[in-house]
Amino acid sequence: DTEVTQTPKHLVMGMTNKKSLKCEQHMGHRAMYWYKQKAKKPPELMFVYSYEKLSINESVPSRFSPECPNSSLLNLHLHALQPEDSALYLCASSQDGFEAGGHSYGYTFGSGTRLTVV
Amino acid sequence: AQSVTQLGSHVSVSEGALVLLRCNYSSSVPPYLFWYVQYPNQGLQLLLKYTTGATLVKGINGFEAEFKKSETSFHLTKPSAHMSDAAEYFCAVSPSMEYGNKLVFGAGTILRVKS
């Protein structure tokens, strides 16, 4: 298995809803990432988990809450989002731990979740 | 200071013509360099990477890139464009002095292929 699987592919939620995005990889990768991508922009890093521990939080608002239940799974819990949070949310993983550089093999990205907040 | 600069937000080529997408980086340490491709409403797919060794790197779909340390460049080329190459391309670098171990992306270049 050489993929990162993200579910759901599309999500529409109201500003008072609570929802979760899920990301799964079975490649034995040690670091997992959440990115946010707005239209015609590069991905912006949100969170990094390395060896199942949160390594980086890029000053993301608390309405986004990451969770790494095990080495294969990464969740992003969403609550009280704003319309400006509408974007493509990408999950990625890398073979090495983040602190070791993490990138010598490149990142594997999922196909993303297209989130629309109404 | 920006770590990755992609020259040209849009590049248009005719089918069968040479594709050249430019990327310059700034890094105080020997970097890892990457090119990713993104098709509409999809995630990013790794095209190729330079870590160490041979400076001419071959990737998927007929793309290649050359690491030129003296020019701090990692331009992406393909001898003959195909309609299916139309996508957005991102150059990325890690590590960098400003951003530590983070993978830093350029702004992206949208490639259009004309028939």
Side-chain angles (χ1 to χ4, degrees):
Chain A
D1 188 351
T2 59
E3 291 186 346
V4 172
T5 302
Q6 289 188 245
T7 54
K9 292 195 182 305
H10 301 275
L11 179 62
V12 179
M13 60 184 291
M15 290 188 283
T16 59
N17 291 160
K18 286 184 180 181
K19 296 288 185 182
S20 297
L21 309 184
K22 180 179 173 181
C23 173
E24 206 162 358
Q25 58 88 12
H26 297 287
M27 296 175 283
H29 286 185
R30 296 305 187 184
M32 296 184 75
Y33 311 79
W34 279 117
Y35 281 86
K36 173 183 178 179
Q37 187 180 25
K38 301 285 271 185
K40 302 190 189 307
K41 296 289 186 182
E44 298 174 16
L45 184 64
M46 300 175 71
F47 303 103
V48 179
Y49 273 83
S50 185
Y51 293 94
E52 303 170 46
K53 296 196 184 309
L54 184 64
S55 285
I56 290 181
N57 176 343
E58 290 286 74
S59 303
V60 179
S62 59
R63 57 185 184 268
F64 295 91
S65 176
E67 179 195 20
C68 188
N70 59 58
S71 61
S72 299
L73 188 56
L74 186 66
N75 297 320
L76 186 63
H77 303 297
L78 314 173
H79 174 54
L81 294 192
Q82 302 298 309
E84 59 264 29
D85 296 321
S86 298
L88 181 67
Y89 288 84
L90 294 165
C91 175
S93 67
S94 61
Q95 182 164 333
D96 301 324
F98 180 77
E99 292 75 11
H103 317 311
S104 58
Y105 296 94
Y107 287 12
T108 301
F109 280 84
S111 298
T113 294
R114 175 70 61 187
L115 175 67
T116 303
V117 181
V118 297
Chain B
Q2 191 169 1
S3 284
V4 184
T5 302
Q6 291 185 237
L7 279 173
S9 59
H10 291 78
V11 169
S12 183
V13 300
S14 298
E15 193 174 18
L18 171 72
V19 175
L20 171 61
L21 304 183
R22 300 177 186 272
C23 174
N24 288 88
Y25 69 91
S26 59
S27 178
S28 61
V29 298
Y32 296 150
L33 294 158
F34 307 88
W35 276 100
Y36 286 88
V37 61
Q38 186 176 31
Y39 299 99
N41 295 312
Q42 294 190 27
L44 278 70
Q45 181 182 13
L46 182 65
L47 269 180
L48 48 79
K49 64 180 185 286
Y50 170 78
T51 53
T52 58
T55 57
L56 182 62
V57 180
K58 294 188 185 299
I60 62 172
N61 301 338
F63 285 92
E64 62 182 36
E66 187 171 10
F67 170 57
K68 292 187 176 181
K69 186 177 179 181
S70 61
E71 299 176 8
T72 61
S73 68
F74 191 56
H75 301 331
L76 181 71
T77 61
K78 182 174 180 177
S80 177
H82 191 272
M83 297 297 289
S84 61
D85 295 326
E88 187 160 19
Y89 293 79
F90 292 98
C91 181
V93 62
S94 178
S96 69
M97 187 169 66
E98 298 98 332
Y99 300 102
N101 279 342
K102 299 174 191 177
L103 189 64
V104 179
F105 289 94
T109 298
I110 294 174
L111 176 65
R112 178 178 169 231
V113 181
K114 300 175 291 185
S115 58

